[in-house]
Amino acid sequence: MRADVSRFLEEACSDGDRTIHSDKEHTVQKQLFEEHPLIMTPLYKSQEKVNSPPHCALLSCMVCNWGSFMKSSKRNVFRASNRAKNCRLAQEIFILYCCCRLGWLFSWLPAWCPTSLLHLKEAEDKMLKCIASTYNKRYVYISNGNKIWTLTFSPDLSHKTPLVLLHGFGGGVGLWALNFEDLCENRPVHAVDLLGFGRSSRPHFDTDAQEAENQFVESIEEWRKEVGLEKMILLGHNLGGFLAAAYSLKYPSRVKHLILVEPWGFPERPDNAEHERPIPIWIKALGAILSPFNPLAGLRIAGPFGLSLVQRLRPDFKRKYSSMFDDNTVAEYIYHCNVQSPSGETAFKNMTIPYGWAKRPMLQRIPQMDRDIPITVVYGARSCIDGNSGSTIQSLRPNSYVKTIAILGAGHYVYADQPEDFNQKVKDICDSVD
């Protein structure tokens, strides 16, 4: 591969008439798409929009062949740019030259970020130190050598249907710290770090949205089998709500009640979304520049300044957990959760379309869900997330139990904004199950 790329670059630099054989370009281009999809796909799509032939192969030799490229390199790249008759080719060469340098930067990021799994463990321990209830912590091993980090409360209450908590995007088990003690009073409670997040394994996910979703769902099912749960009350927040619904679609016999807390990914992106709420040009431009990268890449690029970035951008988290901590414990936990290898984060990105909408909206599939599964949708009354999904679900399932609950004074993080009210509502739902 590297030899092919090097020869391709030399020919491109020496051939001002751009007479390189197309089959060679396509071969290199195919290999580059496989190795560097996050960089190659947006560039290729941008070329399709302007009906310009893809020259990504020539450019991307810099991305995957940095060492040998630099020997000849900057001079040859700009010589190729000057000789290229197609102005867009010159622009692309410059863009991917920059991407090459970013690729080198990103390979160095793990050393740049002051984090490790030990740092994450210590941050989680600090989040959980105020919990008086006894609980078990362990890894549950599933297929392909992966493992799911699990906290279990009140396992002795096995006669009650267990409650399983799935956190949202960028979260982990520690963010349920305000809820564990109330929720486990009269039933077992299991909280897991989703595959690709927190302290769970961070494997490679398929780039296809449906396959990535299925990997999440199968990891939950394998976890259930290993833990030995026959049935469960499944509660998910944000991305966890989307995955809880996806799991319920595939394994309805295992879910006695589905609780969706501020779920992500339910409505379709409306065709006139940009007309109803115009998006400023600068945001569109920034989105185009950042589109090859993961949502939280900036946190890792910030390196040792990432923690202060979390503190500045999300000071509300300190307020939410002020009854437990008076320092930056929560910010430290969020930071260390999200500067590890971005496995689940990458999967989430591949499941979205621009501006955070789901590629496979859940409302399109809700009518297929087993009619006997009761659904409760919990929203924060002050949340910026559209709360209409609850009523839409109800209209799509007219012969099934669907209830929507709004928590007054709560935003998107309902369970942390108004923990006492949230905990009581969830306990009432769980009691109705038994």
Side-chain angles (χ1 to χ4, degrees), residues 72 157 171 178 256 274 324 431:
S72 56
L157 300 176
L178 292 166
K256 293 192 73 172
E274 292 189 25
M324 301 186 81
D431 289 343

Side-chain angles (χ1 to χ4, degrees), residues 13 148 166 257 357:
C13 292
I148 303 295
L166 305 181
H257 199 112
W357 299 87

Side-chain angles (χ1 to χ4, degrees), residues 114-295:
T115 191
S116 66
L117 291 178
L118 178 59
H119 282 88
L120 176 54
K121 175 186 179 301
E122 292 172 348
E124 182 191 277
D125 288 343
K126 287 178 67 177
M127 286 290 296
L128 302 175
K129 70 179 181 181
C130 296
I131 298 174
S133 303
T134 57
Y135 60 93
N136 301 323
K137 302 185 292 184
R138 63 168 173 147
Y139 279 111
V140 174
Y141 289 85
I142 59 174
S143 63
N144 300 317
N146 292 320
K147 53 189 180 182
I148 303 295
W149 181 243
T150 306
L151 306 186
T152 300
F153 294 77
S154 304
D156 52 317
L157 300 176
S158 56
H159 60 288
K160 291 292 190 73
T161 305
L163 172 65
V164 176
L165 306 177
L166 305 181
H167 63 77
F169 174 76
V173 294
L175 294 182
W176 302 108
L178 292 166
N179 316 108
F180 286 132
E181 296 207 65
D182 282 349
L183 297 181
C184 74
E185 278 183 353
N186 60 356
R187 73 184 57 252
V189 173
H190 302 273
V192 302
D193 281 342
L194 293 169
L195 188 68
F197 292 96
R199 295 177 63 185
S200 290
S201 296
R202 297 184 176 235
H204 172 76
F205 280 83
D206 199 289
T207 56
D208 177 75
Q210 183 172 354
E211 288 301 317
E213 177 187 315
N214 192 58
Q215 283 176 261
F216 279 121
V217 168
E218 288 306 312
S219 70
I220 297 169
E221 171 61 4
E222 290 178 25
W223 172 87
R224 181 201 64 79
K225 289 179 180 178
E226 288 297 319
V227 175
L229 305 183
E230 187 63 24
K231 292 179 179 291
M232 57 188 166
I233 301 165
L234 192 55
L235 183 154
H237 172 252
N238 186 265
L239 172 62
F242 179 89
L243 296 177
Y247 177 88
S248 301
L249 278 165
K250 190 167 186 179
Y251 297 103
S253 65
R254 303 302 179 185
V255 181
K256 293 192 73 172
H257 199 112
L258 176 61
I259 306 176
L260 304 172
V261 182
E262 289 275 321
W264 167 84
F266 273 64
E268 298 180 57
R269 182 184 178 182
D271 293 334
N272 60 345
E274 292 189 25
H275 296 291
E276 290 183 357
R277 185 180 296 179
I279 300 171
I281 295 295
W282 70 270
I283 292 181
K284 291 182 179 180
L286 185 62
I289 293 170
L290 297 178
S291 63
F293 307 111
N294 286 325

Side-chain angles (χ1 to χ4, degrees), residues 314-381:
R314 296 307 304 264
D316 56 311
F317 273 110
K318 187 173 183 177
R319 295 194 296 270
K320 296 178 196 298
Y321 292 84
S322 59
S323 63
M324 301 186 81
F325 315 106
D326 58 4
D327 57 10
N328 294 314
T329 294
V330 183
E332 290 174 8
Y333 177 66
I334 293 172
Y335 172 74
H336 289 296
C337 274
N338 291 294
V339 291
Q340 313 293 328
S341 174
S343 165
E345 183 184 335
T346 301
F348 174 78
K349 180 184 182 300
N350 290 332
M351 291 163 63
T352 65
I353 57 177
Y355 311 114
W357 299 87
K359 282 184 180 178
R360 306 182 68 242
M362 190 55 65
L363 286 179
Q364 294 179 350
R365 295 177 275 163
I366 279 291
Q368 303 165 23
M369 187 175 292
D370 191 311
R371 59 182 293 179
D372 293 330
I373 298 179
I375 299 178
T376 301
V377 185
V378 181
Y379 280 98

